[in-house]
Amino acid sequence: MLGQASQYVLYLPTAALAAVALWLAAQLVLKPRKNSLPPGPRRLPLIGNALELRKGKTMEEMIALWWEQYGNIVYVNIFGREIVFINDLGMAQELTEKRGAIYSDRPALPMFELLGWKDTLITMPYGNQFRKHRRMMNAVLSEKAVDSFGPVQANSAILLVKLLASDAGKDLEVHISTYTASTIMKIAYGHDVKSLEDPIVKMSLEALTKTLEFGTVSTTILDFIPALKHLPTWAPGAGFKRRALALRGKVELSQSLPYEQVKQQIRNGTAPECFVTTNIQDCGGLDNLTPQDESDIQGAAAALYTAAEETTLAVVHSFFLAMLLNPKVYKAAQEEMEQVIGVDRLPNPDDMSSLPYLDAVMRELYRWTAPTSINAPHRVKEDDVYQGYYIPKGANVIVNNFGLLQACPEPERFLPERFLEGTKLGSVPTNPRDVVFGFGRRRCPGWHFADRSVWVAVAHVTALFDIIPEVDEKGQKIIPPQEFGTSNVRHPKHFPCRVVPRADRKKLLEKVLD
Ligand code: HEM
């Protein structure tokens, strides 16, 4: 008979084998290997799927192709940058909300940094500084706080009405842009804006639009091959760097100049109440500001304008196109407004809940426009497993907002009825705001404010104006095509139209213009 100790010796190889088997099983179950990455196009060594990008004209087209071929979760690797595209609302919410602790980071955005955007929430990694900026923003942009902006938004709406009445909407985009700038500049810096010729707005707008020309955030050449930022400016292929550095001075000035203006006003005792003054006071006043406080307040204020301008413009501009192409819808919205608030006063946000048809128009507007067709990337902080798929640490999870909002019958048609009767809704969520403003802990902090701004503009226009086709030299109506650009924020392409006072609202309009 063997002693106890010898028995253990005999069992050792078996135990070791069992341990190895268990370890292997655990690796397979808990940490699926690379071959269980989500489906996606076949990758080539080093360049991964870079050649795939030739197949579609835009990122949206590429994603649509992959979606069709591989399903709701697609893995793509471009020069080592791992991207997981999500084409399903439930998946998007599960990952970014329920697993928000690890799905709320942003990837480094070297092109943004090269361009001089600093301490801006939009590109900030998930961490303490992120939480500080979200807190600063929530203090002024929460649903409750936004209630207090009623007078600012009403004044900006009057400015929009005046501009539209001045030239029958000939410079439509300029007027909407002025409207957006006037609300956000007032809130951020207490700065009154009457036109886009305002020097601060002019500079900020140029910095923003030229930045967007560099490509969709996180999908520029530099985002895929960050090492390219070290190319000397004279090198062939370094054109992007020369252009970026040429713009950098303007980007930096667009952040510092309005901020310095408020500081000067504080010194003079003339500072208006606004985001910058409130935050300087919260830090104990000018004398107690640390350099990091200064950089944070400056960056956060600039982010307000940067994030608000193009997005709000895109949605309000799309409203004009939608109403021009769908006169019956517009007529129905006007009739509802007439029945509910009459003809003697202008609508205000207190009327929102009494105008269900207009609300359905707003929902369809967000769906149809899909202003942020590709959501901003959420970087994964740790390896994860989702539905058996391995999601590697560092991957960028990008939700295909456009795809989610197109998942209904006749997606190209503007049909507010979808949201009233639930018909032709397909798998589009009943509130497209749950998609267009993003997800989880990175969801747009300005969304209450943005939604109000869009509603106030849309309601004022509906109350006072008709939107009719322009005519050509032969007197024929020009019906523009339903076309959108391909930039980061989805805008309608320029289209002609006339915005004329409603015949039976002239008195009210005169009162407004007085
Ligand atoms: C219709 C207009 C707007 C749309 C469609 C929109 C949409 C979005 C989306 C999709 C994101 C990314 C969310 C994510 O990563 O999941 C975002 C982020 C952001 N938005 Fe908006 N937005 C709008 C207006 C505004 C306004 C008016 C403000 C400020 C007053 C604002 C401030 C921001 C900021 C600061 C971020 C960055 C948040 C972060 O990274 O944590 N946005 N927005």
Side-chain angles (χ1 to χ4, degrees):
M1 204 126 143
L2 290 166
Q4 241 181 3
S6 328
Q7 277 182 30
Y8 285 139
V9 173
L10 271 182
Y11 291 152
L12 260 180
T14 326
L17 273 177
V20 170
L22 265 174
W23 180 82
L24 279 173
Q27 293 304 301
L28 285 172
V29 174
L30 301 176
K31 190 175 177 196
R33 292 163 308 150
K34 304 266 179 211
N35 62 7
S36 58
L37 284 165
R42 214 160 65 83
R43 297 179 290 283
L44 295 173
L46 289 174
I47 62 168
N49 302 115
L51 298 180
E52 285 277 312
L53 295 176
R54 295 177 311 180
K55 287 188 184 165
K57 273 198 270 147
T58 63
M59 205 63 190
E60 287 80 359
E61 283 178 1
M62 273 318 311
I63 298 172
L65 282 175
W66 290 328
W67 183 6
E68 225 167 77
Q69 264 180 293
Y70 306 105
N72 286 339
I73 179 163
V74 177
Y75 172 88
V76 173
N77 182 319
I78 295 169
F79 295 117
R81 193 179 175 100
E82 300 184 284
I83 307 177
V84 176
F85 287 107
I86 301 290
N87 296 302
D88 176 272
L89 183 62
M91 278 187 190
Q93 288 169 337
E94 164 83 31
L95 297 180
T96 61
E97 286 162 23
K98 295 208 181 115
R99 303 184 189 195
I102 60 166
Y103 281 83
S104 300
D105 201 13
R106 288 272 196 248
L109 296 171
M111 186 59 102
F112 253 60
E113 283 159 26
L114 189 64
L115 284 162
W117 295 101
K118 208 169 151 244
D119 286 322
T120 172
L121 178 62
I122 305 157
T123 61
M124 204 170 272
Y126 185 62
N128 288 339
Q129 195 189 16
F130 161 85
R131 280 185 274 276
K132 178 179 178 187
H133 279 236
R134 293 287 305 199
R135 265 198 310 276
M136 283 159 77
M137 293 200 178
N138 286 342
V140 288
L141 296 172
S142 69
E143 189 171 11
K144 198 159 158 259
V146 163
D147 272 344
S148 65
F149 295 143
V152 174
Q153 286 179 317
N155 282 342
S156 298
I158 301 295
L159 174 66
L160 175 66
V161 167
K162 285 183 178 163
L163 292 170
L164 291 171
S166 69
D167 69 351
K170 198 161 154 285
D171 278 330
L172 187 57
E173 288 110 301
V174 173
H175 301 333
I176 303 170
S177 219
T178 312
Y179 166 72
T180 311
S182 74
T183 51
I184 202 65
M185 286 291 181
K186 185 77 184 164
I187 283 153
Y189 305 105
H191 181 60
D192 285 313
V193 172
K194 295 277 171 261
S195 98
L196 291 190
E197 289 309 309
D198 178 284
I200 286 182
V201 175
K202 208 169 170 182
M203 195 172 47
S204 304
L205 193 57
E206 188 183 352
L208 172 62
T209 47
K210 293 222 165 120
T211 293
L212 293 177
E213 282 167 16
F214 278 81
T216 302
V217 178
S218 90
T219 59
T220 66
I221 180 73
L222 206 50
D223 294 310
F224 291 132
I225 319 177
L228 286 180
K229 75 175 166 208
H230 301 299
L231 269 183
T233 44
W234 48 262
F240 74 89
K241 188 167 178 181
R242 288 192 291 276
R243 284 191 298 125
L245 293 180
L247 183 58
R248 190 183 173 102
K250 282 186 184 155
V251 169
E252 286 171 346
L253 209 56
S254 74
Q255 294 165 87
S256 62
L257 205 68
Y259 172 73
E260 292 299 333
Q261 179 174 289
V262 179
K263 273 174 66 185
Q264 191 53 47
Q265 289 165 333
I266 294 177
R267 287 189 202 103
N268 299 343
T270 57
E273 200 187 314
C274 64
F275 179 81
V276 171
T277 44
T278 307
N279 280 291
I280 291 179
Q281 278 157 13
D282 288 352
C283 291
L286 284 182
D287 295 337
N288 292 306
L289 284 177
T290 65
Q292 189 56 48
D293 288 334
E294 294 235 59
S295 194
D296 280 328
I297 300 171
Q298 190 174 303
L304 294 181
Y305 175 79
T306 313
E309 174 62 34
E310 284 287 303
T311 45
T312 314
L313 164 66
V315 180
V316 177
H317 193 204
S318 300
F319 170 76
F320 283 88
L321 179 62
M323 297 304 105
L324 179 65
L325 298 178
N326 298 278
K328 282 190 189 150
V329 170
Y330 195 45
K331 191 92 205 114
Q334 289 181 323
E335 280 170 7
E336 180 192 58
M337 194 172 282
E338 187 165 329
Q339 279 162 19
V340 175
I341 71 166
V343 295
D344 300 324
R345 71 166 177 94
L346 289 171
N348 66 60
D350 291 340
D351 299 313
M352 273 169 122
S353 57
S354 347
L355 297 167
Y357 189 77
L358 193 62
D359 183 54
V361 170
M362 288 277 292
R363 287 172 197 235
E364 180 67 342
L365 181 62
Y366 286 130
R367 188 203 67 75
W368 188 76
T369 312
T372 44
S373 52
I374 301 176
N375 202 62
H378 289 218
R379 183 179 174 276
V380 192
K381 265 180 115 75
E382 286 167 25
D383 282 344
D384 192 24
V385 176
Y386 177 67
Q387 293 191 351
Y389 293 124
Y390 169 63
I391 316 271
K393 172 181 173 178
N396 294 307
V397 171
I398 297 185
V399 182
N400 176 12
N401 290 354
F402 180 71
L404 298 186
L405 297 168
Q406 291 273 303
C408 57
E410 301 185 88
E412 70 295 342
R413 290 189 63 198
F414 193 95
L415 301 172
E417 289 71 24
R418 297 182 207 272
F419 297 98
L420 287 170
E421 295 150 12
T423 47
K424 297 196 174 167
L425 198 53
S427 46
V428 165
T430 50
N431 195 346
R433 293 172 180 96
D434 292 345
V435 173
V436 294
F437 291 108
F439 300 92
R441 300 181 192 185
R442 302 286 324 205
R443 188 167 199 229
C444 176
W447 88 266
H448 294 292
F449 177 76
D451 193 42
R452 283 273 191 108
S453 291
V454 174
W455 189 90
V456 167
V458 158
H460 276 71
V461 172
T462 306
L464 294 170
F465 296 100
D466 282 324
I467 301 167
I468 56 174
E470 186 55 281
V471 286
D472 63 19
E473 58 285 357
K474 290 186 196 137
Q476 299 286 327
K477 285 182 187 168
I478 305 172
I479 305 296
Q482 187 170 306
E483 274 183 344
F484 290 82
T486 55
S487 87
N488 208 6
V489 178
R490 199 163 167 268
H491 279 272
K493 288 194 176 164
H494 174 78
F495 59 92
C497 74
R498 288 175 60 75
V499 183
V500 294
R502 290 173 65 184
D504 50 355
R505 293 295 188 287
K506 291 224 164 102
K507 253 191 170 159
L508 181 59
L509 184 62
E510 273 164 23
K511 225 162 78 183
V512 174
L513 297 180
D514 222 5

